[in-house]
Structure formats: C-alpha cells, structure tokens
Amino acid sequence: MDVPAVQLTRETFGNIPPSSVIAFYVIAAASMLVFCWGVWRRWKLWRQGRPVAIREILLGNFARLKPRLGRLLKEGLGQKRVRGRGLASWAHIMMFAGFMMLFLGTTLLEVDHLAGKVSEKLHFHHGWYYVIYEGALDVFGLLFILGISLFLWRRMRRPSSVGHRASDWTALYLFLGIGVTGYFVEGLRIVWDQPEGLALWCSPVGASLAKLFGEMSEPASRSAHLVVWWVHSLMVFGFFAMIPFTRLLHFITGPANLFFSTPSLGQLKPISIEEVEETGVVGVSEIAHLDQQQLLSLDACMECGRCDDACPAFASGKPLSPKAVVQDLKGLMQATANGESVGLHGDTIQAETVWACTSCNACVTACPVRVDPLGLLFDLRRDRAAEGALAGSAANSMRQMQTKGNPWGFPQAERLAWADGLDVPLASDHPNFEILWWVGCAGSFDRRAQKVTRAIAKLLIKAGVNFAVLGPNECCTGDSARRLGDEFLFQELAEKNHSTLKQHGVRKILTQCPHCMNSLTHDYPQFGDQFEVVHHTEFLQQLIDNGKLTAPERNGSVTYHDPCYLARVNGVHQSPRDLLGDGVSEMERRREKTFCCGAGGGRMWMEEEPDQRVSVLRAKEAIETGAETVAVGCPFCLTMMTDGVKSCGSGAVVEDVAENLAKRLGL
Ligand code: SF4
Ligand code: SF4
C-alpha cells in the first residue's frame, strides 16, 4: 500500500455540521432515557417477587460467583445453548456476533472521539488499528445483515412455535435498516474521503458500494451522506428506545437470567414447616409468591418455542405449552402491577395444565436463556397439592404411599416376594454388605418389573457382588409425591428412609429406577444424606469391565429408549448401550435429547386420554427403527413403552437392559 500510515484514519462526525452533532447527542440522550425508564418499569415488576440475595450473589465468595460468570461467558457470549437448531441457531449466532462487534466498534469510535477532545495525542483510531477495525466491522456488518435476513425468511414461513407480533417484524426491519444504511453511509463517505485502494483494503463492502455512486459529484455525495447518516442514527436510537418494550428486552434479561438463575436439573427447592408457619405460603398461588429471579426469567423468555418443541405433553395434545405458561405468568405479572384483579389458578393457568407435565426436564435443557418452566409448574403444583386439588388415581397413590409406604398399596411385608427361590441377603441379616441395592416400589411390586429385579439379582449373584436389600424396611423414596407437589409427604418418607439407611451405615446404593436414583442423588442430600448412587446399567458395565461378568453377543436388533431421569438429568447414557453391544439402532431423539415415555412427574399414577398418550408417540419412534427389541432402563419406561408398542400394534419386545444381558448369559 502506498499510503502513509498517518493517513490511515477517518474523521469521526466527518461531513456532519456542528448543529447536527448537537442534535445527535440530544436525541441519543433522549433515547437512553426512554431505555432506562423502560428497564426501570420492568425492574419494578420483578421486585414484586420474593427477594433474592443479590448482594450475596454479587459480593459473596468468588467460588460461588465463578459458575455464574462462566455461564455468562459460555452461554451468553459463546451462545452455547443457542446452538443445535440448524438455521435458527446460525441466524441468531450471526446476528449476535454482528451486533456485538458493531456495538463494540461504535463504542470505541466514541471513546476515541472523546479522548481526542482531551488531547490529540489520545487519538487511537488510525494506522493499522484503523485498518483492522474497519475491516472487522465490514465483515461483521455483513454477518449481521445475513443473520437478520435469515430470521426474516424463517419468520415469513410462519413456523408455529414462533410468536408473530407486529413489534417482532418492526424490530427485524429496523435491524435490517440499520445494517444496510450503515453501509450506505460508509459508501457515500468513501466517494470523497478515501483513495480507492485504501478503501478496498479497509472497507471492501463500503468501497464496492462507493462505486455505485462513482458518478456523483462531491457536494451531492456529501448531501446524500448527511441524509442517510441521519436516517441511520435515528433508527439506532429508535432501536435502543424500543428494547424494554419489545421482545428485544431479552438482550438484557437473557444474560441477567443466565447469571442469576441456579441450575435445577433434577432438583427441587425444599420447603420447611417453619417457613410455612412464618409465611402461610406453600408453593405459588399469586405472582408475588415467585421469587425475583423467577419474575426476571419471565421477561427473559423471547418466545422462541424451543421448550414447546421439546415438550412431550405439548406434542401429545395435552393442554400444556411451557412457553404459554411463561408468557401467561408474564402477563399476570404486568396485570398484578397494574392493579387488575386477575387470579393465578383457574384464571391464568388451568388445573389441567399444571398436572399435564411429566417433569421430563426437556424444556429446562432446551431454553437458551435458562428459563425454567418446570420449576414454575412445580411451584404451582405445591400450592394445588396443599389445597387438596389433586384428585383421582394420583391422589389415591399418594394416600397409599403415606399409609402403606408404596403407591400400589401392597403390604410392606410383601416387598421381598419377588425374590422367592433366590438367595437375596437382607441388610439386617448381612450387615457387612458393600453395596445396598435399592429395589424401589416398582421393582418390588409391579409384576412385570419384578422380572427385571430377578434378572438383576441373578446377575449380581453370578458376579459375586457383596450386596444386600432392605426388603420390608425399604419405603417409597417419595419422588412422585415431591414432583406432584406434596412436599411434606415426600419429607415424611425421606425421613423414614433416612433413619433406615443411617441405621445400616449405607454409603453406596445401587438402584434400577432412575427416579429413585435421582431422588437419592439430588433430593436426599438436601436433608443431610450423601450417597454414591449408581444405576444398574452402570454397575453391570463395571462388572463386565472388571471381568466379573461377560457379555455374550446379542442376537437380533435392538433400539434403546433413554429414560429422562437417567440420560437427560443424570447423564447416564453410554453404559446401557455398551451393555447392549454393537449395532444399537438409534432413535433420532436420544441420550440427553431423549423424548419422555410419559410416566414422570407423577403422571405414572394418572389416567391418560387414549389419543393423548406420550407413550404412543415414543413407541412410534422406537418402532420406526425397525428393531425387534426395545430396551429400557427404568421400570416406569418399561410399563409405558410396553403399552405404547402394544397400542401401535407392533410385535416388538420391550425389556430392560438387564433382562437382555441375563438372557444372553442364559440366566
Ligand atoms: S418438564 Fe417436560 S412435560 Fe413438563 S413442561 Fe417441560 S418439557 Fe413439558
Ligand atoms: S421459555 Fe425459553 S425455550 Fe421457551 S419460549 Fe421462552 S425462551 Fe424459548
């Protein structure tokens, strides 16, 4: 390049008369005021909720702050949770990257301008910095426009999961206008301001546009530049002013929610009797019962519809859309602040919606900004359960749990009936066991699941494992009670189990039920218990790895259905596949992205309309693989998938991974 380095710059506000510069700053200030006022109004809405210890979060120890900052960096700046949705993800990433760079570039330009006012020496917008700056902004500007164009194209096809409001179109066209006029401002400036060679180096897009205006005289291009510069600036100010009043609010609330939310996969906040006595509140019956972070999260929702796309209740036609739950509560938050007398239960959220959730956690993991529709539903359920609104078969199962220690209502004395003819040691007779096998209610009482239990027992005995079971001293973990909202029944059962486990000095637990596994892993530690809990598929694989069992080749084709609480919530998805051996025919939705069988969240104990069965949807996916066997790793999935496969008229066999292995070993 033959241009001296000192000329590698451009004047900020070049060609803009002083009166326009003053007007620019006045309008900028007005736009910022509108922005701050809008955010302040939302802030007041969030403050209706139960307080969150913001000071403690921000000023507490760094170890607790670190994961929050990490989420902000990885999931906010790195867009980690946005990825994986094809075109929509790419469009968002391009738009986000473009926006961030243009915002940063404009801020740096202003800093340089103000620094220059203090001293000429403080100018840094020149030389190679200038070349890199201009080049980078040119490229990221293109990305920005491309991202918006993709979003517009997608929106024109009106996907049902995406909201369609006039303000969404306005925001997108405004963005497009800002991007395009930005290039026109640059192109018109280059006509009189820069030698072509330099412009092509620094601003290839702007320089190409400048060729379009090549015939223009300098005065004409200067006049056009001033006009387009104003259009561009007014659009930018309009954009900032509209942020708090449109879906664009997620620019602020999204990162804020990523920072303030607490990951809750598989967990529920405990409630204490003392707390209830003090507040008189169990769960959520009005908007002020949600905490401030939950209210902030309602504003973080940008209605992308990812939660709906992942939701089995929504897919099966039940009256539950996690996105609508979030948006309806957001509407209630505003209405309550306006003094309108709108109720929560019945008015805003219907009872059928509250009970339709299978607590599969798919919405929790799908949301790019960590909104937690499941956490909201759990809180609503707690209120309904406390009000005695849970009726029918589920209420009956809860009663049986309370009085008999299991949801089926079988006598506890029959807990070991499944072990007839097998040498299964009881913890009370065999205190020196290495691992306690938590059989669970389904494994103990459900006829079909008992066969799985027997298969596991034979495998453990063959491998020479030093185990024991609690037999009649085992009681339901209370997982379903907790997830149906009956926190105090759960705590009662947990307390009973806690003293049994303590009495036997249990530290390591083997379980065949992912719901028991989750409860023992995530719920029980909240009450002082800490165990190493292992699912039977992991344990059996360890026995094979240690040479205590072999895994003969499998005959016939098999597909594997990942239970939500095993794969998505607790990350166990490889060991079942390893146990099944090579050539598992995979369903599209698998591992952490599995699709529910319909039994979680206490739905196991509820009647389902025949045309709204989640199990049928999942069974169809399994059947489509063409596999002869559908393997599972959960007693609830076993029941649901068996029903689903039967309803579809398929002859596929549904069996637990352990049964499959035991068969291959001739046990
Ligand atoms: S947890 Fe599962 S069933 Fe419940 S709302 Fe979320 S996606 Fe739907
Ligand atoms: S809750 Fe999350 S996933 Fe659902 S629509 Fe809102 S932002 Fe999207």
Side-chain angles (χ1 to χ4, degrees), residues 234-365:
L234 289 175
M235 283 198 283
V236 171
F237 297 143
F239 153 72
F240 274 107
M242 77 187 281
I243 286 177
F245 307 96
T246 61
R247 199 193 292 221
L248 299 176
L249 181 61
H250 81 272
F251 281 23
I252 302 157
T253 48
N257 196 54
L258 287 176
F259 181 81
F260 283 107
S261 64
T262 306
S264 60
L265 213 55
Q267 296 175 33
L268 268 166
K269 281 175 276 174
I271 325 174
S272 67
I273 298 275
E274 297 74 38
E275 205 182 318
V276 175
E277 277 170 359
E278 195 185 308
T279 60
V281 173
V282 183
V284 167
S285 62
E286 53 187 79
I287 206 75
H289 293 160
L290 291 170
D291 70 31
Q292 292 169 346
Q293 182 272 319
Q294 285 176 307
L295 295 185
L296 163 77
S297 79
L298 304 180
D299 267 348
C301 172
M302 77 289 267
E303 298 172 68
C304 67
R306 286 182 179 219
C307 49
D308 279 359
D309 289 348
C311 178
F314 184 74
S316 62
K318 293 194 181 64
L320 166 59
S321 144
K323 178 175 89 174
V325 167
V326 173
Q327 287 301 313
D328 290 347
L329 288 173
K330 178 176 168 174
L332 181 65
M333 171 169 74
Q334 181 73 65
T336 309
N338 295 347
E340 294 167 32
S341 64
V342 191
L344 200 167
H345 292 288
D347 279 355
T348 306
I349 308 283
Q350 304 307 314
E352 306 80 64
T353 301
V354 173
W355 300 121
C357 174
T358 68
S359 88
C360 70
N361 279 278
C363 55
V364 184
T365 51

Side-chain angles (χ1 to χ4, degrees), residues 8 13 125 161 191 202 210 215 218 285 310 315 331 359 377 394 410 419 553 558 612:
L8 293 173
F13 291 119
H125 197 68
S161 59
V191 170
C202 301
E215 301 299 309
E218 183 175 334
S285 62
S359 88
L377 287 164
F410 286 108
E553 285 229 345
V558 66
Q612 290 184 346

Side-chain angles (χ1 to χ4, degrees), residues 473-532:
N473 291 327
E474 187 185 290
C475 191
C476 178
T477 54
D479 163 80
S480 292
R482 195 172 212 203
R483 274 146 191 91
L484 276 170
D486 198 338
E487 175 71 6
F488 296 118
L489 172 55
F490 161 73
Q491 290 190 15
E492 195 182 317
L493 294 164
E495 182 54 38
K496 209 183 267 185
N497 286 322
H498 166 75
S499 66
T500 311
L501 293 167
K502 198 170 166 201
Q503 186 192 334
H504 292 288
V506 176
R507 300 274 34 107
K508 188 169 180 183
I509 300 178
L510 161 71
T511 178
Q512 71 219 62
C513 172
H515 299 274
C516 294
M517 178 189 182
N518 185 70
S519 208
L520 292 165
T521 308
H522 294 301
D523 293 337
Y524 279 48
Q526 293 175 345
F527 303 94
D529 293 322
Q530 199 80 49
F531 312 108
E532 184 191 338

